[in-house]
Amino acid sequence: MMIWLAAGLLIWAAGWRLNNALSERPTDDFTRFAIPAIFGVTIIAIWECLVRGLDISPVLLPAPSQIALTFAGSLNILWQDFVQTAIKGALTGYAIGCGAAILISIAIDRFPFLQRGLLPVGNFVAALPIIGIAPILVMWFGFDWHSKAAVVVVMVFFPMLVNTVQGLRESDALQRDLMRTYAASYWQTLFYLRLPAAMPFIFNGLKIATTLALIGAIVAEFFGSPIRGMGFRISTSVGQLSMDLVWAEIVVASLAGSGFYGGVALMERSVTFWHPSQRSKAL
């Protein structure tokens, strides 16, 4: 027992020293990757040592090695749950909710009376707790992935709407006057000036929505689901005290969410390469 605790203390000291040395180097691609990687590996190693050193029950906290074995032995189940929750529920709802929010933002920008009428309603709906609306949407749309996509639409729609509306106001009066000088129509001004200027705000909303989408789909599955899905598997595994499988599902959700967010961030970098925030990252 003491050997494991001593090993954990030694790993912590080594990780601290190594990261401290790397942080003093000039920032480059290697240090940007190495520092968080070392930090994460150190946490996992300390977790393993503490669980084994303190003899913590797997029901309370399974060791990372046990989670890894369960993960490797349940790849088929985890893949089915990933497809059901992340692809069918979260990604479909994300695409519908964000796409509808952008279109309605343009309508709000074109017809100002919608801004006075719709945005206050949107703020009200955005404040509704997901745990309250999820059972209602499950009853409306059924127990399959359609109801989970509906929950995701509700969760991502209004944050995306607010960011897009704000982004469409980003172009200044001088730029709009220049477009009028060129006899540009509203739609030409929108596509050639205002939407490009709004892209940093739009991508900010898209990145926020990536985290909300997966959370919404998982939470919705707690209120009704077929015999697959991350939320379904977590709820049933907790009842069976199979906490290693619960943690394996959490790992899948974390990887999916991180990959989803990273994909949107890479798209943002390629689309808004002209923005000062992206130029500063490239330095």
Side-chain angles (χ1 to χ4, degrees), residues 203-218:
F203 275 103
N204 187 51
L206 289 172
K207 288 189 291 186
I208 293 172
T210 57
T211 57
L212 295 175
L214 197 57
I215 293 171
I218 291 174

Side-chain angles (χ1 to χ4, degrees), residues 10 14 29 90 148 174 177 194 222-223 260 268 276:
L10 183 62
D29 291 338
K148 288 62 181 180
L174 183 62
D177 288 341
R194 305 184 69 198
F222 281 86
F223 298 96
F260 198 3
E268 177 188 21

